[in-house]
Amino acid sequence: LLSEIMKDTRWAKEVQIKACKVDSAGLKFLDQVVQEREIRALTLARCNLEDGVATQVAICLGGEQWSSLRIVGLDGNVMLGDAAAEALAQALMTNTSLEELSLW
């Protein structure tokens, strides 16, 4: 489904996904989109992210592959726990391009 949505938006610099379950496979696709299209803002709000997927997000944020991102919104993902918070904190220690991370 994500690939169908994204194929007609090849020039977009912002991706907003709200109230749609994002699992590891979906995140892998988003990883490609962020890298190939140099996405500047990514919102995964109310996507029922679990610690494992959020940890994958953190790994991407901590590495060079998501260096184009300036804004990341993970609002409303109530399943996030301590493991996700710790992984995100670690990513923020090395990420020098992110300007805003929202976890509201």
Side-chain angles (χ1 to χ4, degrees):
L1 178 63
L2 285 174
S3 62
E4 288 298 311
I5 294 168
M6 295 303 297
K7 75 178 181 181
D8 292 328
T9 58
R10 74 189 118 207
W11 304 110
K13 293 296 180 188
E14 181 175 331
V15 175
Q16 290 188 11
I17 300 174
K18 298 179 179 179
C20 182
K21 176 79 173 162
V22 175
D23 58 12
S24 292
L27 186 63
K28 185 176 181 178
F29 175 76
L30 284 173
D31 180 31
Q32 288 179 312
V33 169
V34 169
Q35 290 183 61
E36 291 172 4
R37 300 184 186 179
E38 297 181 353
I39 300 298
R40 298 185 58 77
L42 175 64
T43 299
L44 301 174
R46 300 180 316 279
C47 291
N48 296 319
L49 297 182
E50 297 175 356
D51 278 349
V53 174
T55 298
Q56 290 175 323
V57 168
I59 290 168
C60 291
L61 285 171
E64 289 295 315
Q65 68 260 38
W66 282 14
S67 62
S68 65
L69 282 175
R70 299 297 176 259
I71 300 169
V72 173
L74 303 176
D75 301 332
N77 288 292
V78 298
M79 301 295 289
L80 297 183
D82 292 343
E86 186 173 327
L88 288 166
Q90 289 294 322
L92 292 176
M93 286 194 246
T94 58
N95 185 304
T96 59
S97 59
L98 194 66
E99 297 170 4
E100 181 181 326
L101 174 63
S102 178
L103 297 167
W104 184 73

